[in-house]
Amino acid sequence: MSSASNHTPPSGLAAWLTSETPHSRGHAKCVQLYLGWLSLARNPLAMLGLAIVLILIAAALLAPWIAPYDPISQDLHRRLLPPGTDGNLLGTDELGRDILSRLLYGSRITLYVVALVVVTAPVAGLIVGTVAGYAGGWLDVVLMRLTDIFLAFPRLVLALAFVAALGPGIENAVLAIALTSWPPYARIARAETLTIRNSDFISAIRLQGATAPRIVIGHVMPLCLSSVIVRVTLDMAGIILTAAGLGFLGLGAQPPQPEWGAMISTGRMFILDQWWVAAMPGLAIFTVSLGFNLLGDGLRDALDPRAGR
Amino acid sequence: MPESSETALLIEHLDVRFGKGDGAVHAVRDVSVTVKRGETFGLVGESGSGKSTVLRAISGLAKDWTGRIAVDGTDLGKARDKAFYEKVQMVFQDPYGSLHPRHTVDRTLGEPGRIHGITDVGARIESILRDVGLGPEFRFRFPHQLSGGQRQRVAIARALMLEPKILLLDEPTSALDVSVQAEILNLLQRLKREFGLTYILVSHDLAVIAHMCDRLAVMNSGRVVEELTADQLRRAEPTDRYTKQLLTASLGYNRATADSLLTFD
């Protein structure tokens, strides 16, 4: 175990967490999670990414308590104040709303979009990919051609079509993003499944009489999961940008919702004289996207089964 | 050998083909062998001789076979049922590839029990771990925490979870160190006595075969070229030319032998 060897002899909880001889199923899981955490914690950039993501989550949870102003109440006397005036730390926008407060509340929308996409697209992709890869034959052909069809749609254009058909709003934007982002996960999962399906441990479980669903769910999926998780965190930035892009085009979140993309969109009118109106939400999108990317890179190193812990 | 109540496994005119058309490989050609209850039957031959494919056809992993395979007097079809898996189990060559990397020993051993509805899986896992010479401290470890020999013991334990009668051993020691090889072979001998098992052992190592087997079949290019008893092998009195060559080659490398090797087809 190389992970534990460069530490001083652990005691108490640390000893329990690095035990070579776990005493129960739960204990073994804890040890594995802890060792994974140790290898992630060795990567400072990944920890920076994790910190950004945690700050985003904290901001979304605590927005009503930490935001200095109401994000949607207007005060035209105080419009377009530069950062730092009168307690408006990041200035105000064209309707006199505090930009910091709007960014904090906007993190809720960003997180909402990310969460909804994450519970739909990768799950669908994982199921389609592992089933296609394990079953093979005509099922594989049908599922993969379906994947190709969805892959051929330009994401933003399909999203536009969706929103045009169903009306603008965050939910429809999420639906459009999810529908166009599952095919890459299906491809990854299928490629992983093809390398796993002929391995001896799958043959062995088949010889125990296991049914195909049991093999796919219990034996194939756990091995595909890590590459899918990594891909999800790396895609997170793209999802946020697409949601912001839809907001920018006026097809995502609707005013007066403080969505970051929509904020940039209105700020563009003042970009030369009042740069902060567009720059602040832009900075927020940039930081959060960067955070997810850094975390994704770190997770790839920590979760890669071939890295051999 | 005629079929009788003593026959554990009967193979008649077995042919296995992979692929279709011009690219098809005829891996096993007209193989017929009979394995008696309680004996260790060896299949020996060089790489690509089709010996592992015979095992895969018996276990149902290779589907494109024709001929007759019968276990305990019951003919096998292409699809296998749970009763078959309770009777016949297999141990694979590479212990590094035959255990799921993300499953603990406990989960690996418990899975067959859960599939076949065995009650009290926990107690069974502990007793089987003891039987293969691993202590209870190994139960919740992951494969990457085990040595090659320990992994192969876990793989053997998994094969024994369902209390099978016939064990198919696909070069069970060829991926291991020489010292560990002997331990695993002795373990297999002991388990055979304790559980009354029948082994079909595939190997390219004549020393392993001579140590383990009662009878053996020599395979080359998918055919059985000769059937011998272990005594005949030890006395080095094979009659077939290919077997003679295999025996000479197994004695170690020397240039004269290497130059005199022939290709048989």
Side-chain angles (χ1 to χ4, degrees):
Chain A
M1 295 307 300
S2 60
S3 313
S5 58
N6 48 7
H7 292 267
T8 49
S11 61
L13 184 65
W16 189 80
L17 281 173
T18 53
S19 167
E20 293 263 319
T21 54
H23 304 298
S24 69
R25 254 158 252 174
H27 189 180
K29 266 243 121 55
C30 288
V31 170
Q32 227 208 359
L33 282 176
Y34 182 68
L35 293 177
W37 163 251
L38 283 183
S39 93
L40 184 67
R42 270 202 300 275
N43 182 342
L45 280 179
M47 295 318 283
L48 176 66
L50 184 65
I52 293 172
V53 172
L54 288 178
I55 289 170
L56 175 76
I57 293 171
L61 286 177
L62 302 174
W65 293 280
I66 57 174
Y69 294 92
D70 186 330
I72 54 175
S73 76
Q74 306 175 4
D75 183 355
L76 292 178
H77 295 292
R78 298 162 54 80
R79 70 192 290 263
L80 297 173
L81 292 178
T85 27
D86 293 345
N88 296 106
L89 203 59
L90 300 180
T92 59
D93 66 3
E94 79 284 2
L95 295 172
R97 297 171 297 197
D98 180 47
I99 290 182
L100 176 63
S101 306
R102 285 179 68 73
L103 285 184
L104 288 173
Y105 274 93
S107 63
R108 296 187 147 189
I109 298 175
T110 302
L111 215 54
Y112 178 65
V113 169
V114 164
L116 275 185
V117 173
V118 163
V119 298
T120 49
V123 177
L126 186 64
I127 293 171
V128 169
T130 49
V131 168
Y134 186 75
W138 63 269
L139 194 58
D140 184 28
V141 173
V142 169
L143 288 175
M144 279 302 114
R145 289 303 80 77
L146 198 70
T147 310
D148 286 342
I149 291 171
F150 273 92
L151 211 54
F153 278 111
R155 183 186 275 198
L156 211 54
V157 174
L158 188 72
L160 289 177
F162 250 96
V163 174
L166 301 172
I170 299 179
E171 282 80 8
N172 292 340
V174 166
L175 191 64
I177 296 171
L179 265 178
T180 47
S181 56
W182 67 265
Y185 303 118
R187 292 241 152 208
I188 294 177
R190 178 172 176 271
E192 291 267 326
T193 306
L194 288 182
T195 62
I196 296 166
R197 62 173 291 192
N198 289 325
S199 58
D200 279 350
F201 59 86
I202 296 294
S203 297
I205 191 65
R206 275 168 61 194
L207 290 188
Q208 311 284 357
T211 55
R214 177 187 275 271
I215 296 173
V216 169
I217 295 169
H219 298 256
V220 176
M221 276 191 190
L223 289 175
C224 300
L225 206 57
S226 52
S227 33
V228 168
I229 288 175
V230 169
R231 176 76 198 232
V232 168
T233 43
L234 291 175
D235 277 357
M236 217 74 100
I239 293 166
I240 293 168
L241 290 176
T242 311
L246 286 175
F248 182 84
L249 293 171
L251 299 169
Q254 291 303 297
Q257 280 187 316
E259 204 273 322
W260 295 350
M263 287 168 73
I264 298 180
S265 171
T266 54
R268 143 187 82 132
M269 287 184 275
F270 316 100
I271 201 157
L272 292 179
D273 301 316
Q274 287 87 25
W275 54 269
W276 58 90
V277 183
M280 293 309 170
L283 207 58
I285 293 172
F286 164 77
T287 312
V288 169
S289 304
L290 182 70
F292 275 115
N293 268 341
L294 292 178
L295 182 63
D297 262 348
L299 279 178
R300 177 171 51 203
D301 298 340
L303 287 178
D304 189 356
R306 282 166 292 274
R309 249 184 286 130
Chain B
M1 192 179 306
E3 190 174 358
S4 70
S5 60
E6 283 300 296
T7 307
L9 176 81
L10 177 80
I11 298 175
E12 276 179 342
H13 307 299
L14 178 73
D15 276 86
V16 184
R17 284 182 177 83
F18 295 115
K20 293 187 186 88
D22 290 342
V25 178
H26 199 167
V28 175
R29 303 164 195 235
D30 195 26
V31 166
S32 301
V33 288
T34 312
V35 181
K36 280 186 294 186
R37 214 177 293 273
E39 84 175 334
T40 301
F41 188 85
L43 279 175
V44 65
E46 61 190 34
S47 304
S49 60
K51 55 198 192 309
S52 290
T53 309
V54 172
L55 282 200
R56 295 181 80 83
I58 299 170
S59 65
L61 289 173
K63 300 239 182 279
D64 291 330
W65 57 270
T66 54
R68 179 172 174 225
I69 304 176
V71 170
D72 271 350
T74 328
D75 279 24
L76 299 176
K78 297 276 168 308
R80 304 292 154 83
D81 53 6
K82 278 190 176 179
F84 170 78
Y85 297 124
E86 286 169 12
K87 228 181 267 168
V88 182
Q89 279 295 322
M90 183 157 167
V91 175
F92 292 85
Q93 174 175 10
D94 179 12
Y96 292 87
S98 67
L99 299 179
H100 195 289
R102 293 292 171 93
H103 288 176
T104 57
V105 172
D106 176 70
R107 168 119 195 238
T108 299
L109 296 183
E111 195 96 33
R114 278 187 292 276
I115 293 168
H116 291 261
I118 294 174
T119 50
D120 205 10
V121 173
R124 177 107 187 93
I125 291 174
E126 280 188 8
S127 82
I128 208 89
L129 276 179
R130 219 175 305 123
D131 287 335
V132 297
L134 294 174
E137 73 270 20
F138 287 93
R139 185 170 164 190
F140 296 103
R141 286 196 187 176
F142 286 92
H144 64 79
Q145 294 171 295
L146 305 176
S147 70
Q150 289 166 345
R151 287 180 197 221
Q152 198 59 305
R153 283 171 196 263
V154 172
I156 292 168
R158 170 178 57 192
L160 292 176
M161 272 301 283
L162 297 174
E163 297 176 329
K165 288 285 143 219
I166 300 175
L167 220 49
L168 309 175
L169 305 167
D170 188 1
E171 310 218 20
T173 57
S174 66
L176 304 171
D177 289 345
V178 177
S179 59
V180 181
Q181 277 188 14
E183 284 176 28
I184 296 291
L185 291 177
N186 289 338
L187 171 71
L188 286 170
Q189 296 278 43
R190 177 166 64 75
L191 291 171
K192 184 184 166 191
R193 278 196 306 276
E194 285 175 19
F195 294 97
L197 297 165
T198 303
Y199 285 162
I200 294 139
L201 173 66
V202 161
S203 183
H204 61 260
D205 188 337
L206 284 174
V208 168
I209 293 279
H211 176 65
M212 295 285 290
C213 297
D214 306 306
R215 290 188 309 127
L216 61 131
V218 181
M219 287 188 71
N220 183 33
S221 308
R223 289 191 191 82
V224 171
V225 293
E226 185 168 19
E227 265 194 59
L228 297 164
T229 64
D231 284 336
Q232 284 174 310
L233 180 69
R234 278 184 215 110
R235 290 197 303 270
E237 52 186 29
T239 52
D240 183 81
R241 287 200 305 152
Y242 175 75
T243 315
K244 278 181 189 155
Q245 180 170 307
L246 199 67
L247 207 58
T248 327
S250 74
L251 295 175
Y253 181 84
N254 80 55
R255 182 163 294 275
T257 322
D259 287 341
S260 69
L261 291 183
L262 304 167
T263 307
F264 294 85
D265 196 28

